[in-house]
Amino acid sequence: MQTIIEPFKIKSVEPIHFTTKEQRINLLKEAHFNSFLLKSDDVIIDLLTDSGTSAMSSNQWAGIMQGDESYAGSPSFFRFEVQVQKITGMPIVIPTHQGRAAEKILFSILGGKGKYFVSNTLFDTTRANIEFSGAEGVDLLCEEGKHISTPAPFKGNMDTDALRKFIIEKGAENIPLCIVTVTNNSGGGQPVSMENVREVRKICTDFGVPLFIDACRFAENCYFIKIREKGYENKSIPEIVSELFSYGDGCTMSAKKDAFANIGGFLAMHDKNLAQRCRNLLVITEGFPTYGGLAGRDLEAIAIGLEEVMDENYLHYRIRSIEYITEKLVNAGVPVMQPGGGHAVYLDAKEFLSHIPVNQYPGQALVGALYIEGGIRGVEIGSLMFGKYDDNHNLMPAPMELVRLAIPRRVYTQSHIDYVSEVIIEVYNKRKEIVGLKIVEEAPMLRHFTAKLTTF
Ligand code: F0G
């Protein structure tokens, strides 16, 4: 088989700043063992997130120059609106400055005490916005999704039996929305099958619960459907994308992922009344409905990115590069989520550092070790991010202790990816030297962003 090459040429480059291991030991201490507190200039390969970190294409940069910055009625907005309508089939498009702004608006309107939002798995900002409104977020992930190293084609699926039971138990009137996150970021970037979305849609229709799609990585999800789900092998990505969105009453989107934009997001929907309430809030928090917290140039970049992301050559390379690292790690015996996700490699820190108990945050300890060894920055998706305390201040751990290495889109080449695999394997071979961490300072919500930790 021929090597799958990067489907782009490089026109402009950014230098990487190199550091030594000794420097990184000190830099990590100064950052209180929290990768969010590192300076990006002190990072060699930055896999903290795939969000807002894409390399834009020459077409997108050209679009930036064409951006019209009129306060109201900018042609850039209409180009953006048409593109979102084309993809989602949803007539109403509301731009926001990023995904969580769309969430904040939606959940401020639909949330509140006594309400439940059900999902395959909610992302952390989605959950936080739900909880901030006083409502509760509920994850109903399918059984396969809970077994990190057992491969299955659609580990992001929702448990539809559990969904039905949940709606009956809590009452449809207390469930303002069901949300399907594609791909399932917190659950390993794993895709959701079309069959599953169809089933969820049917249950939602039966009970009168609206269905929204958290569409951040819709194109990656649709590529997985094409290569893994029977009946879709000969369909084009735009056709699969249209079908996926056709099951939603609305969607939230962070354009910082599958739109190759450095900022942006939107809400799209069918319901005119809901849209009116969203726009009322939009005006006081984001901006006028034809720019919603974005510059005209951002709207152009997003519109172009939303088209580019559906290119099959790109998606083939994208999914293959994640699979490539995963294969290398599996061959070296490193515990990693299988199969590879759409945007990231997820290390199983509980297995990797089995000598560190969960209340000493093995995921965060592994993040630190990867940084010291090779200047790689990842993020913990485990008990630092999702853990809660019981009444006695004992940690109630998250179901999984993962370290996510998210691959920015079109940014790194194969040699970077090879380097990342080598560093992970090196750390794995020295894993017994890694020690656990304790928190010394934390915020009440989304604590992982700012928490300060120290070693035991
Ligand atoms: N939903 C999902 C599934 C996400 O992954 C994110 C962001 C959001 C919503 C919020 O979008 O950042 O534009 O406000 N995920 C980033 C990440 C931050 O690193 O996975 P946003």
Side-chain angles (χ1 to χ4, degrees):
M1 199 174 79
Q2 285 177 331
T3 303
I4 295 159
I5 60 171
E6 284 85 6
F8 49 80
K9 297 182 286 177
I10 297 167
K11 184 177 282 187
S12 176
V13 296
E14 261 184 283
I16 286 176
H17 301 272
F18 288 91
T19 45
T20 64
K21 217 180 212 180
E22 287 64 38
Q23 287 170 327
R24 291 194 293 270
I25 291 171
N26 284 327
L27 290 164
L28 188 65
K29 272 193 201 138
E30 284 167 21
H32 305 281
F33 296 88
N34 185 341
S35 56
F36 284 102
L37 302 180
L38 285 167
K39 292 186 177 133
S40 60
D41 268 357
D42 297 329
V43 173
I44 296 177
I45 305 280
D46 203 348
L47 309 182
L48 184 69
T49 179
D50 62 321
S51 179
T53 52
S54 298
M56 289 208 294
S57 66
S58 47
N59 259 338
Q60 283 179 296
W61 283 110
I64 290 267
M65 284 309 293
Q66 302 217 320
D68 179 288
E69 304 304 340
S70 306
Y71 189 91
S74 158
S76 300
F77 171 73
F78 296 113
R79 272 192 282 278
F80 165 85
E81 186 184 41
V82 164
Q83 185 60 29
V84 175
Q85 287 167 336
K86 187 173 132 194
I87 286 180
T88 63
M90 297 173 192
I92 304 169
V93 181
I94 300 173
T96 58
H97 80 272
Q98 61 183 85
R100 70 197 67 180
E103 293 164 1
K104 170 78 182 147
I105 289 172
L106 191 64
F107 299 124
S108 300
I109 292 167
L110 297 178
K113 223 172 148 38
K115 303 267 168 62
Y116 300 90
F117 291 87
V118 274
S119 174
N120 47 344
T121 310
L122 297 161
F123 184 63
D124 60 351
T125 58
T126 324
R127 174 176 293 281
N129 272 304
I130 288 169
E131 290 176 358
F132 191 72
S133 81
E136 222 176 285
V138 182
D139 295 341
L140 300 175
L141 184 63
C142 68
E143 191 54 37
E144 307 90 85
K146 297 174 189 159
H147 302 277
I148 299 174
S149 56
T150 315
F154 291 104
K155 291 170 79 169
N157 282 354
M158 198 170 200
D159 179 339
T160 45
D161 289 338
L163 174 63
R164 199 178 279 279
K165 274 197 203 119
F166 187 85
I167 300 177
I168 292 170
E169 190 192 316
K170 302 289 181 192
E173 66 283 7
N174 297 316
I175 306 173
L177 280 187
C178 171
I179 300 152
V180 176
T181 311
V182 298
T183 57
N184 182 15
N185 184 7
S186 310
Q190 297 293 326
V192 180
S193 71
M194 197 70 92
E195 187 188 7
N196 189 250
V197 180
R198 218 179 286 126
E199 256 178 71
V200 170
R201 170 75 261 174
K202 187 172 178 318
I203 295 168
C204 286
T205 305
D206 288 350
F207 290 97
V209 173
L211 172 62
F212 264 55
I213 297 171
D214 177 340
C216 297
R217 300 177 180 86
F218 71 96
E220 288 167 5
N221 198 95
C222 288
Y223 184 73
F224 279 120
I225 290 175
K226 181 174 170 90
I227 59 173
R228 292 187 186 163
E229 191 163 349
K230 221 171 158 286
Y232 289 91
E233 48 282 72
N234 297 321
K235 295 215 162 147
S236 71
I237 297 296
E239 281 171 333
I240 300 172
V241 167
S242 291
E243 182 179 344
L244 175 71
F245 280 108
S246 75
Y247 299 123
D249 294 292
C251 69
T252 56
M253 167 92 187
S254 166
K256 300 173 75 173
K257 284 84 173 173
D258 266 357
F260 300 120
N262 301 126
I263 196 73
F266 57 84
L267 270 163
M269 63 190 74
H270 291 277
D271 182 339
K272 284 198 186 98
N273 291 332
L274 178 60
Q276 188 52 48
R277 295 166 74 196
C278 290
R279 283 192 177 123
N280 290 345
L281 253 188
L282 185 84
V283 173
I284 52 172
T285 58
E286 291 284 295
F288 189 74
T290 61
Y291 73 86
L294 291 169
R297 54 179 171 267
D298 299 324
L299 295 166
E300 292 279 354
I302 295 167
I304 296 165
L306 284 173
E307 189 64 42
E308 286 179 356
V309 78
M310 295 191 291
D311 172 23
E312 240 172 76
N313 288 324
Y314 159 74
L315 287 167
H316 183 44
Y317 136 84
R318 170 81 178 152
I319 301 305
R320 176 62 197 149
S321 60
I322 316 281
E323 193 179 57
Y324 175 81
I325 312 185
T326 306
E327 275 169 14
K328 284 195 158 195
L329 298 181
V330 169
N331 290 340
V334 177
V336 60
M337 177 163 290
Q338 290 181 61
H343 65 295
V345 173
Y346 291 73
L347 302 174
D348 180 354
K350 219 188 268 182
E351 274 291 308
F352 198 117
L353 300 179
S354 53
H355 60 288
I356 301 181
V358 287
N359 62 3
Q360 294 181 19
Y361 303 103
Q364 194 67 7
L366 180 52
V367 167
L370 294 170
Y371 176 69
I372 289 174
E373 186 63 35
I376 296 170
R377 171 156 75 165
V379 67
E380 189 251 27
I381 299 199
S383 293
L384 181 63
M385 188 179 272
F386 289 124
K388 298 231 157 98
Y389 294 113
D390 66 15
D391 293 341
N392 301 318
H393 205 69
N394 292 318
L395 177 76
M396 298 191 290
M400 296 189 245
E401 302 296 333
L402 302 175
V403 168
R404 185 186 76 172
L405 302 168
I407 314 295
R409 294 171 182 77
R410 308 190 293 206
V411 169
Y412 293 116
T413 63
Q414 174 148 6
S415 66
H416 294 116
I417 297 290
D418 282 329
Y419 171 81
V420 168
S421 319
E422 286 159 17
V423 171
I424 298 169
I425 293 166
E426 191 74 31
V427 169
Y428 187 62
N429 293 337
K430 298 197 267 201
R431 61 193 179 278
K432 291 285 183 276
E433 295 166 22
I434 302 170
V435 297
L437 296 168
K438 60 181 168 217
I439 297 176
V440 289
E441 210 182 296
E442 62 184 299
M445 272 189 135
L446 297 174
R447 63 177 181 170
H448 54 288
F449 287 137
T450 53
K452 295 182 178 169
L453 298 100
T454 186
T455 45
F456 267 93

